[in-house]
Amino acid sequence: YQVSTDVSGSLINVQAQFSLSLPFFTELRTFQDRLAFKGEKVESFGVGGDDQYEQKKQMEILYFENNDHFVIKLTPSNSDHEIILYMPNTRFNTMADAVAKVNGLIAIGQQEKLENCHQWKYKFKDAGDIVIIPKIQFDLSTHFSSLEGNTFIAGNEAYKIKTVWQRTAFQLDESGAEIESESTVGIFFFGLEEIDNEPKVMEFNKPFFVFLKRKDAAVPYFAAWLYDTELMIKE
């Protein structure tokens, strides 16, 4: 993570850059012609009950109600970080509401793991259970025109925001996750004027959330709402 500030005449430029690579110890399985997200075929990866232990141990079921409502965690080689995937059964007004809901479901899951009648939810059976995730890849940039042109006062000086720009790149596949982000703010000084019977088939085939966070943090440093296939790799 890097932040730099440059002052040139009456223009102050502030830049922030962030990049992180979170590879898995062992690549997960790649599926062929297996996942349709809202009816459109996309490339996918994940684990099945018959995969090797080294693959399955990188994935954990944090909460399971049914095949349409669940939370899973992917653990990269850097175990200080975790990748949380949430398949919701309701809508949220803000990303903060979704984060709070996931934290609550994880707490429920931790309690259910201690109860014999629920333990089946949190184990991968040797056959039948499966998790299938779309491969995600995007590199997006945007200007925040709603902020550009606004003025503010700091101390006894008046400033105008000239430019607000951000770029976010993200990739998630069988190898792990990579994220990059950079932003620029240009400020012009102009003087004062967020029960086991059926196999568990956890397919991310409709809108879902992705969160990247430090293991010891309640709030993620990256969050995405995947609503359609625009940011996925098509087959």
Side-chain angles (χ1 to χ4, degrees), residues 57-125:
K57 77 174 184 179
Q58 299 174 121
M59 185 174 292
E60 181 181 352
I61 302 171
L62 299 181
Y63 175 80
F64 184 85
E65 179 180 337
N66 52 49
N67 290 335
D68 292 312
H69 191 215
F70 53 88
V71 181
I72 67 168
K73 177 177 76 174
L74 302 176
T75 302
S77 55
N78 184 344
S79 58
D80 288 337
H81 300 260
E82 52 190 19
I83 303 164
I84 307 292
L85 304 179
Y86 172 43
M87 177 64 78
N89 62 352
T90 188
R91 287 178 172 270
F92 297 94
N93 292 324
T94 68
M95 194 67 77
D97 290 340
V99 171
K101 178 67 173 181
V102 168
N103 287 339
L105 293 177
I106 292 174
I108 291 173
Q110 290 173 338
Q111 181 59 41
E112 288 188 340
K113 286 180 183 179
L114 303 177
E115 303 170 9
N116 290 335
C117 61
H118 291 297
Q119 289 179 355
W120 66 272
K121 298 179 181 180
Y122 302 95
K123 299 176 182 177
F124 282 106
K125 293 191 297 186

Side-chain angles (χ1 to χ4, degrees), residues 157-168:
E157 305 292 353
Y159 297 86
K160 178 182 290 185
I161 300 174
K162 182 178 180 181
T163 304
V164 181
W165 174 85
Q166 183 176 39
R167 167 181 169 263
T168 302

Side-chain angles (χ1 to χ4, degrees), residues 81-198:
H81 300 260
E82 52 190 19
I83 303 164
I84 307 292
L85 304 179
Y86 172 43
M87 177 64 78
N89 62 352
T90 188
R91 287 178 172 270
F92 297 94
N93 292 324
T94 68
M95 194 67 77
D97 290 340
V99 171
K101 178 67 173 181
V102 168
N103 287 339
L105 293 177
I106 292 174
I108 291 173
Q110 290 173 338
Q111 181 59 41
E112 288 188 340
K113 286 180 183 179
L114 303 177
E115 303 170 9
N116 290 335
C117 61
H118 291 297
Q119 289 179 355
W120 66 272
K121 298 179 181 180
Y122 302 95
K123 299 176 182 177
F124 282 106
K125 293 191 297 186
D126 290 339
D129 288 358
I130 193 169
V131 177
I132 306 176
I133 306 164
K135 293 184 182 182
I136 304 167
Q137 185 177 57
F138 62 85
D139 190 337
L140 304 173
S141 63
T142 186
H143 277 274
F144 292 90
S145 57
S146 61
L147 297 177
E148 295 175 345
N150 287 347
T151 60
F152 65 93
I153 295 176
N156 294 319
E157 305 292 353
Y159 297 86
K160 178 182 290 185
I161 300 174
K162 182 178 180 181
T163 304
V164 181
W165 174 85
Q166 183 176 39
R167 167 181 169 263
T168 302
F170 180 69
Q171 179 172 328
L172 177 64
D173 58 24
E174 69 278 6
S175 299
E178 290 192 18
I179 179 174
E180 293 181 6
S181 181
E182 56 181 319
S183 60
T184 299
V185 179
I187 303 171
F188 180 68
F189 168 64
F190 67 100
L192 192 57
E193 255 181 16
E194 193 211 355
I195 297 224
D196 183 17
N197 282 321
E198 300 295 327

